[in-house]
Amino acid sequence: MFTAFLIKYAEIGIKGKNRYLFEDALVHQIKFALKKCEGRFLIHKSQGRIYVDAQGEFDYDETVEHLQKVFGISGICPVVYVEDEGFEKLCDRVIRYIGDVYPDKNRTFKVHSRRARKDYPKESMEINADMGEAILNAYPEMSVDVHNPEILLNIEIREKIYIYSETIPGPGGMPVGTGGKAMLLLSGGIDSPVAGYMIAKRGVKIDAVYFHAPPYTSERAKQKVVDLARIVSEYAGPVWLHVINFTDIQLYIYEKCPHEELTIIMRRYMMRIAEHIARETGCLGLITGESIGQVASQTMNSLIATNEVCELPVYRPLIGFDKMEIVDISQKIDAFETSIQPYEDCCTIFVARHPVTKPNVNIIRRHERNLEERIEELVQTALDTKELIVVE
Ligand code: ATP
Ligand code: MG
C-alpha cells in the first residue's frame, strides 16, 4: 500500500550552505543504497524534506532494510500518496489507511495536517477537526489526545496528498562524504570492520588497506577481507581496498629483530605504509580496531610505539570498548559470521610466545636500525606491487 518514504534527518548544525551539502550527500547515498534494490525510485528534495518515491513495483522490506543502512537518516516514514478528489474521499482514504495499519483500534490519535498548497479549500485547523470527527465516527474505540497521541496522523496537502504516521528508526550519523576520507587498516578480525563502520557513521568515506603475507596467508584469507570490505561498503559506499604484499618485510624483520618485538615493529611498518597510501589518496587520517589492553600490541606503551611513526591522526573508535561490546556491533552490522571464519592472519604467523607488553620506544628504534640495509627498498617494492580492489 505504501508508495513512498519521507526521510527524516537530524538538522542540528546543518544550517545555511552546510544544509545543502548535507542533503545532497544524503540523496547521493540513498541513490547508491537503493541501486541494489528491486524496483526504480525517484529521490527528490522538496521544501526541506527528502522523499523516496517508488516508480511502480518494489520490495518494501528490502527497501527499508537498505535505507536503514544510510547514515544521516534518523527516521523513515512510509507514505501513502492519494490524489486530491475532495475532502470526503480523503477522509475515506484515511479511514482505510488506519484500518490497514492499525488492526487494534483501541488507541489515541491526533490529526496533524499541513497545507503546502494554499488553494486547498480547508485550513489546517479545520482539516484536523473535521477529519478527527470522521475517524471517531468510523472507529468509536479510538479517542483523541492532542498532547500525547499514540498515533500522530500526518496529512500533507501538496499536488498529491501524503498520509503517514509511522517512523522506522534510521541509523543516525552523518551522510558519508560530508566528513572527508580516512584509511582503515582492515584485517580479517572482528575489530577493524567495526572501527570502519563507526567512523563512516560520522560521515567519513572509507578507503582500506590490507597486509597479506602469501604463502603464509592464503588467498581465502584475502577473500575474507574483501568480504568484510563489502560489508563495510553497505554502509560506507564503495571502498577502495589496497592490498599490500607484506611477506618480505615480515621475513626481514623476523631475521633482523628480536622476536618478542616482532609484532610491534611489524605494526609500525603497517602504519608507515598505510600513512603513505593515505597521503597519496587524499585521506585525512588512519583508522584501526585497537582497544586498550586487548593484546600485547595494544597496551598504552605499545600504542606509543605504533602511534609515533605517523603524523596523520590515528582514529581508534574502539579504544574504550570491551570485546563483548565490539562483538555486539559486529553482529548488528552482520560482519561477525564473516570475521570468525578461521583463516590465518599475517600477524599471528610470526608471533612470539612472549611478546613485549611494555616496549621501550628507544630500544625499538635502535633495533629497527638493523633493518637499514634493505627496508626502504622492500617498502618501495611493497608499494609498487600494491593491488587495488574496488569493493561495492
Ligand atoms: P582485528 O580484529 O581488527 O584484526 P585484532 O584484535 O586482531 O584486531 P591486532 O592484530 O593487534 O588486533 O591489530 C590491531 C589493528 O591493526 C587491527 O584492528 C587493524 O586495524 C590493524 N591490522 C592488524 N593486522 C592487519 C592486517 N593484516 N592488515 C591491515 N590491518 C591490520
Ligand atoms: Mg587481527
Side-chain angles (χ1 to χ4, degrees):
M1 67 184 260
F2 296 107
T3 44
F5 298 92
L6 165 64
I7 303 299
K8 288 188 173 165
Y9 48 87
E11 292 174 55
I12 303 156
I14 52 163
K15 300 196 177 72
K17 183 166 155 261
N18 285 340
R19 181 185 185 110
Y20 288 96
L21 294 176
F22 183 99
E23 289 174 343
D24 290 347
L26 189 52
V27 168
H28 186 267
Q29 291 305 109
I30 292 171
K31 280 186 182 156
F32 178 76
L34 295 184
K35 259 203 311 212
K36 291 163 267 177
C37 290
E38 222 168 284
R40 282 200 315 117
F41 300 91
L42 183 69
I43 296 138
H44 59 103
K45 297 200 290 182
S46 166
Q47 295 165 333
R49 283 146 176 261
I50 293 173
Y51 295 92
V52 174
D53 291 350
Q55 313 288 91
E57 293 284 299
F58 74 108
D59 182 331
Y60 175 86
D61 291 330
E62 183 194 42
T63 307
V64 169
E65 196 184 303
H66 280 78
L67 288 173
Q68 282 187 301
K69 292 182 174 174
V70 179
F71 293 132
I73 296 181
S74 62
I76 303 157
C77 307
V79 180
V80 170
Y81 285 177
V82 297
E83 297 294 338
D84 180 11
E85 298 171 323
F87 189 69
E88 249 172 65
K89 281 252 172 68
L90 177 60
C91 288
D92 290 346
R93 190 64 191 78
V94 169
I95 287 164
R96 192 142 55 85
Y97 171 95
I98 295 172
D100 291 342
V101 180
Y102 303 102
D104 174 14
K105 301 290 178 302
N106 221 322
R107 307 246 224 157
T108 60
F109 77 98
K110 171 185 172 180
V111 177
H112 177 250
S113 65
R114 306 211 301 166
R115 277 191 320 167
R117 177 156 68 75
K118 297 297 171 202
D119 63 355
Y120 196 76
K122 278 180 193 282
E123 284 185 14
S124 26
M125 293 296 275
E126 223 181 326
I127 300 173
N128 295 347
D130 295 353
M131 189 173 291
E133 204 177 305
I135 293 169
L136 286 172
N137 285 336
Y139 304 118
E141 318 90 289
M142 293 185 80
S143 55
V144 173
D145 181 344
V146 289
H147 299 296
N148 233 332
E150 289 170 280
I151 303 170
L152 180 64
L153 205 63
N154 291 282
I155 310 292
E156 275 181 38
I157 316 272
R158 296 166 178 262
E159 267 321 293
K160 288 186 180 177
I161 298 170
Y162 300 11
I163 307 168
Y164 62 91
S165 59
E166 293 284 277
T167 305
I168 303 161
M174 306 280 283
V176 170
T178 54
K181 186 165 73 167
M183 180 63 72
L184 169 65
L185 282 87
L186 182 61
S187 66
I190 295 169
D191 306 327
S192 44
V194 172
Y197 163 87
M198 288 181 65
I199 298 297
K201 185 171 180 204
R202 297 309 305 158
V204 177
K205 200 173 163 354
I206 303 290
D207 278 357
V209 56
Y210 166 57
F211 297 89
H212 76 149
Y216 303 97
T217 62
S218 64
E219 202 48 33
R220 193 62 195 76
K222 178 173 136 190
Q223 184 56 43
K224 176 182 166 184
V225 173
V226 174
D227 293 343
L228 289 170
R230 182 160 296 121
I231 292 167
V232 172
S233 83
E234 283 184 29
Y235 298 87
V239 170
W240 286 29
L241 173 65
H242 303 271
V243 180
I244 292 277
N245 186 329
F246 206 48
T247 312
D248 290 343
I249 295 173
Q250 236 173 340
L251 289 172
Y252 190 51
I253 300 171
Y254 193 70
E255 185 193 324
K256 298 283 186 189
C257 300
H259 289 182
E260 63 276 13
E261 288 171 6
L262 185 77
T263 307
I264 289 289
I265 295 177
M266 224 172 62
R267 301 266 313 118
R268 283 161 63 94
Y269 276 95
M270 283 188 187
M271 300 302 275
R272 288 180 175 114
I273 292 173
E275 176 166 82
H276 184 98
I277 307 170
R279 287 190 187 281
E280 272 184 347
T281 53
C283 290
L284 304 175
L286 304 179
I287 307 166
T288 74
E290 289 160 312
S291 153
I292 294 175
Q294 202 188 75
V295 287
S297 59
Q298 296 176 26
T299 62
M300 298 265 279
N301 295 74
S302 298
L303 288 167
I304 293 178
T306 40
N307 200 58
E308 72 145 10
V309 298
C310 304
E311 272 170 23
L312 284 177
V314 181
Y315 296 102
R316 300 180 173 91
L318 308 182
I319 201 70
F321 280 37
D322 293 345
K323 196 71 184 187
M324 273 318 295
E325 294 171 304
I326 301 170
V327 166
D328 280 348
I329 304 175
S330 172
Q331 283 170 330
K332 189 180 84 181
I333 66 172
D334 262 337
F336 188 69
E337 293 304 319
T338 306
S339 285
I340 58 173
Q341 288 170 5
Y343 301 107
E344 65 298 325
D345 178 3
C346 74
C347 298
T348 53
I349 286 164
F350 301 93
V351 276
R353 199 193 288 269
H354 299 294
V356 281
T357 54
K358 286 191 180 167
N360 176 314
V361 179
N362 292 321
I363 297 174
I364 297 278
R365 280 193 210 126
R366 177 145 28 94
H367 289 150
E368 273 183 0
R369 264 184 248 133
N370 300 351
L371 304 169
E372 251 164 19
E373 197 183 333
R374 290 190 58 213
I375 194 71
E376 261 178 47
E377 164 210 332
L378 292 177
V379 167
Q380 193 54 51
T381 307
L383 288 168
D384 291 344
T385 56
K386 171 169 79 70
E387 181 192 0
L388 173 65
I389 304 173
V390 178
V391 179
E392 49 187 322

